[in-house]
Amino acid sequence: MAWLVLSGILLCMLGAGSGTADLEDALPPAPHNCPNKCICAADVLSCAGRGLQDLPVALPATAAELDLSHNALKRLHPGWLAPLSRLRALHLGYNELDVLGHGVFTNASGLRMLDLSSNMLRMLRTHELDGLEELEKLLLFNNSLMHLDLDAFQGLSMLSHLYLSCNELSSFSFTHLHGLGLTHLRTLDLSSNWLKHISISELAALPTYLKNRLYLHNNPLPCDCSLYHLLQRWHQRGLSALHDFEREYTCLIFKVSESRVRFFEHSRVFKNCSVAAASGLEPPEEQLHTQVGQSLRLFCNTSVPASRVAWVSPKNELLVEPGSQDGSIAVLADGSLAIGRVQEQHAGVFVCLASGPRLHHNQTLEYNVSVQKARPEPEAFNTGFTTLLGCIVGLVLVLLYLFAPPCRGCCHCCRRACRSRNRCWPRASSPLQELSAQSSVLSTTPPDAPSRKASVHKHVVFLEPGKKGLNGRVQLAVAEDFDLCNPMGLQLKAGSESASSTGSEGLMMS
């Protein structure tokens, strides 16, 4: 045992003599130190609420989300995000930024969300947001923005949500949205600003999916008839921006803030507005009706030929050539949209986006597609089954006729009638006699009558005519050659000019 201990000591001494450089190379590298006053957790770096007046240095390259909100930052340096190649979300809200400057986001090409809310920004210039080609959500609410350059958002082609509420904007261009495109934009919040004038034609030209999330409430807009009718139509169509903030949509009757009234609660202000004048403000969407399984094709017909055409599906999917991801919708070379087999998921509003040098601005066309389930076809009439059923019923009736015995009462009546034909008719008075109608049962014709065949079962019944309508004439009914044992031989005859006499003993028949 002693020699083992000695050998271990010798090995340790040899390792120490060879130096510590090799041991250091063998150990894994130590993790990057987290910036002072910050918290690092996996790919999240949080420096919120630390009272920072300048940006932290030596940011870890693994950070995908950086939170610098609730500090006292006043400036952003160009290229400060260069080490953060994996950054996807940046929170800069609740700071003291009054200007952004050029080049501050040039190294943030992978950024998806940028929060600049609750700062002191007063204007947004062109190229200050360069480098944010993949940005999807931009928060600029609760600043002091008074001016936006016409190309302030140029290059933000993937932006879908833009929040500009609670600022001091007095105008906004909806023609090209200050450099934004209509391809991906879904939410535009301009509420609680100082907007005093809005182009009604520009609002009407916006696609439905953007109108649905276009927030214009709480602005000092004038009580204009065209704007009222346009918003009223949006409200009737059920757009969420109008329904969610219905009471917040106001306008000014006069040019003072005290004359503000609610759009949808003081309609008497607009009682003199002509509805006909506002009918052409917004082009109506085309209504299309189809059934499940049918084919459908939509054409993007613009005023002039467009160089680029894109579609937006009811599920807010951008459709360009060749078509949708699931392959159910195809975009053809001429810009039209084709659906081979329509399904219920295709119901909704399809929007065509057309652009080109000859178009003054991007034109949009809307198709409201309603899909109904196909009605099941009625089953064909099965003649073979009905023929077989008829044969079976007929066979059963024949068997009953041949083998089923008649009822005892019928047999007894027939036997008695055959034995004594004179007694087949009952001798009791008929109900007709009890009702005071004069009737006589005449005796049969004597057998020795020369000109007629003897018949022991011929009966003639006289009915007393009513006091009115027959002029004293009596309708005569004769039952001739009637045999109870042969009911099929019944023949009825009617005398048209028969005279009656209740006092005579018989009837002379001619």
Side-chain angles (χ1 to χ4, degrees):
M1 181 64 70
W3 68 271
L4 292 175
V5 176
L6 292 173
S7 62
I9 295 173
L10 290 174
L11 290 174
C12 290
M13 293 176 64
L14 290 174
S18 62
T20 59
D22 296 338
L23 293 176
E24 292 178 355
D25 294 338
L27 294 174
H32 195 287
N33 292 330
C34 192
N36 189 22
K37 297 182 179 180
C38 296
I39 300 175
C40 298
D43 58 352
V44 178
L45 174 59
S46 178
C47 305
R50 299 298 178 176
L52 299 178
Q53 297 183 359
D54 202 355
L55 296 171
V57 296
L59 297 174
T62 59
E65 183 173 356
L66 176 57
D67 190 356
L68 293 170
S69 61
H70 297 274
N71 282 290
L73 300 178
K74 296 182 179 181
R75 290 290 183 273
L76 300 176
H77 308 299
W80 69 286
L81 294 175
L84 305 179
S85 60
R86 300 182 180 179
L87 192 63
R88 296 294 179 268
L90 177 58
H91 304 271
L92 291 170
Y94 292 93
N95 278 280
E96 299 178 5
L97 300 173
D98 57 354
V99 65
L100 293 178
H102 295 274
V104 293
F105 300 113
T106 52
N107 303 106
S109 59
L111 202 63
R112 299 290 191 274
M113 194 279 291
L114 175 58
D115 183 5
L116 291 169
S117 63
S118 302
N119 276 276
M120 300 179 180
L121 299 175
R122 301 188 63 83
M123 62 179 59
L124 197 60
R125 300 186 179 91
T126 308
H127 304 301
E128 287 187 341
L129 297 175
D130 287 352
L132 300 175
E133 293 84 4
E134 301 295 325
L135 191 65
E136 299 175 356
K137 184 179 295 186
L138 177 58
L139 282 68
L140 286 167
F141 62 87
N142 196 27
N143 275 274
S144 300
L145 290 172
M146 301 178 63
H147 175 74
L148 299 174
D149 281 357
L150 291 178
D151 295 325
F153 304 111
Q154 185 70 36
L156 305 184
S157 58
M158 301 299 294
L159 194 65
S160 59
H161 298 79
L162 177 58
Y163 299 91
L164 291 167
S165 61
C166 299
N167 279 283
E168 301 176 10
L169 296 173
S170 59
S171 63
F172 189 88
S173 174
F174 292 94
T175 302
H176 67 302
L177 302 175
H178 297 273
L180 279 176
L182 293 175
T183 304
H184 292 88
L185 190 62
R186 296 293 181 272
T187 301
L188 178 58
D189 187 0
L190 292 169
S191 61
S192 301
N193 273 276
W194 292 357
L195 297 178
K196 299 180 180 179
H197 176 72
I198 293 180
S199 175
I200 307 302
S201 59
E202 293 178 3
L203 285 180
L206 295 176
T208 299
Y209 59 80
L210 183 55
K211 295 173 184 176
N212 190 49
R213 302 291 297 276
L214 174 61
Y215 300 97
L216 297 171
H217 57 275
N218 198 22
N219 276 285
L221 297 171
C223 293
D224 181 75
C225 290
S226 300
L227 180 60
Y228 169 74
H229 287 301
L230 183 64
L231 295 180
Q232 187 73 22
R233 186 172 188 271
W234 289 5
H235 186 268
Q236 293 174 355
R237 293 172 62 183
L239 300 185
S240 60
L242 274 297
H243 274 273
D244 295 344
F245 297 93
E246 178 179 350
R247 292 179 56 84
E248 303 298 326
Y249 276 85
T250 59
C251 65
L252 298 180
I253 301 178
F254 308 106
K255 294 183 179 180
V256 291
S257 58
E258 290 78 10
S259 63
R260 178 177 299 188
V261 296
R262 291 188 173 93
F263 260 104
F264 306 109
E265 295 185 6
H266 294 79
S267 58
R268 64 178 182 273
V269 177
F270 307 98
K271 63 181 180 180
N272 294 327
C273 295
S274 175
V275 179
S279 58
L281 291 176
E282 188 177 37
E285 58 191 21
E286 186 173 349
Q287 303 287 336
L288 297 177
H289 303 277
T290 184
Q291 290 185 352
V292 174
Q294 294 184 350
S295 60
L296 181 66
R297 189 169 180 182
L298 307 179
F299 294 91
C300 190
N301 297 321
T302 55
S303 57
V304 295
S307 59
R308 296 196 315 173
V309 174
W311 293 82
V312 178
S313 70
K315 294 185 176 181
N316 293 331
E317 179 185 0
L318 179 64
L319 304 176
V320 294
E321 194 177 359
S324 60
Q325 295 181 356
D326 58 3
S328 63
I329 305 175
V331 178
L332 306 181
D334 60 353
S336 61
L337 184 143
I339 304 177
R341 293 181 60 86
V342 176
Q343 302 297 327
E344 292 184 3
Q345 63 182 4
H346 297 139
V349 177
F350 285 86
V351 181
C352 170
L353 307 174
S355 61
R358 298 180 60 186
L359 296 174
H360 297 291
H361 56 82
N362 294 343
Q363 292 187 7
T364 62
L365 296 174
E366 301 176 5
Y367 296 88
N368 191 356
V369 178
S370 60
V371 180
Q372 300 177 353
K373 293 184 178 179
R375 297 180 179 179
E377 296 183 359
E379 297 182 358
F381 187 71
N382 194 343
T383 57
F385 175 77
T386 55
T387 303
L388 179 61
L389 182 61
C391 293
I392 295 174
V393 172
L395 180 60
V396 171
L397 293 177
V398 170
L399 294 175
L400 290 175
Y401 177 78
L402 294 177
F403 298 102
C407 61
R408 296 181 178 179
C410 295
C411 295
H412 181 69
C413 180
C414 289
R415 284 195 297 268
R416 291 186 59 188
C418 292
R419 291 176 182 176
S420 178
R421 296 186 178 182
N422 293 332
R423 298 178 182 179
C424 286
W425 288 100
R427 296 182 179 275
S429 60
S430 64
L432 197 60
Q433 291 173 322
E434 297 177 359
L435 294 176
S436 74
Q438 297 180 1
S439 63
S440 301
V441 178
L442 303 181
S443 60
T444 59
T445 306
D448 53 352
S451 62
R452 296 190 58 86
K453 182 181 178 181
S455 176
V456 296
H457 51 276
K458 181 179 296 185
H459 307 273
V460 180
V461 180
F462 292 93
L463 299 181
E464 181 184 6
K467 295 182 180 181
K468 296 181 181 180
L470 292 178
N471 195 17
R473 296 178 180 179
V474 178
Q475 192 74 14
L476 175 64
V478 180
E480 184 179 10
D481 297 330
F482 178 71
D483 192 350
L484 285 177
C485 295
N486 186 15
M488 302 301 295
L490 175 63
Q491 296 181 0
L492 297 179
K493 296 181 180 180
S496 59
E497 299 292 338
S498 301
S500 63
S501 175
T502 56
S504 62
E505 296 181 356
L507 175 64
M508 297 300 295
M509 298 184 64
S510 58

